Amino acid sequence: MAVTERESGTELNVQFDERGLVPVIVQDVESGQVLMMAWMNDQALKKSLLTRKATFYSRSRQKLWVKGESSGHHQEVIEIRVDCDQDVVLLRCKSHGPCCHVGYTSCFYRCMEGEDSLRLVEERVFDPEKVYG
Amino acid sequence: MAVTERESGTELNVQFDERGLVPVIVQDVESGQVLMMAWMNDQALKKSLLTRKATFYSRSRQKLWVKGESSGHHQEVIEIRVDCDQDVVLLRCKSHGPCCHVGYTSCFYRCMEGEDSLRLVEERVFDPEKVYG
């Protein structure tokens, strides 16, 4: 597929990398908050579209995982977007519970404060010990 | 650094991958819109922090690029966040012009419509021919 067609066309042509994966940004469709980033293979993308439950590929465990399978905090897929190059996916979701396993709504709860340190900018909303045991 | 310290601590410890890169999500701080995804090496991260102009590492050209160097549409860095694992960066920016080289505010201007096709969901805001020549 030519570059102009990939950028301007309406044919889906996801550019999976050499591992067969594509980076996926998860955004809360109501608040606009960026929640997390993960990876999908072709199967995870199809499953997310079909089941409407965000499903990713775990690089460490080398298998599919449904977000919320342990915590119950799943992400309901409202819309799946691709970027101009079709090598990044944006999953616009309705959150059923907080997203981050550390206990925050979003994984992005700290911001840089100078070159070496971080500052907490979000409130913890659950205790991971109680959710994951 | 232990996992709990990386996840809960306030010490910056970005986990660059085997290529020395980290994925970076760019979000408009005013609209909340997700604009693009790119990559940074350690130098690009430091430069973005110092100059407040979003600077990335181009994998194809193997060098740093300042967003907007051709178009003038730069991204002013307001806040730099890291995720729980410190292996993803979220750049919260003030946009000085549209983000996407195809002519849209965001690179995510199309959404999936079934398994194989895309639907345009954003309006084109500039003509790339006029901006890039």
Side-chain angles (χ1 to χ4, degrees), chain A residues 79-91:
Chain A
E79 194 181 61
I80 305 177
R81 297 193 182 194
V82 292
D83 77 341
C84 45
D85 304 322
Q86 299 204 37
D87 63 0
V88 182
V89 168
L90 173 63
L91 219 58

Side-chain angles (χ1 to χ4, degrees), chain B residues 54-79:
Chain B
T55 304
F56 304 101
Y57 181 81
S58 165
R59 293 170 302 166
S60 53
R61 289 177 289 153
Q62 300 191 12
K63 61 171 191 169
L64 295 191
W65 61 283
V66 180
K67 172 76 190 146
E69 60 192 1
S70 315
S71 64
H73 303 162
H74 77 277
Q75 292 290 333
E76 183 184 341
V77 177
I78 305 298
E79 195 182 59

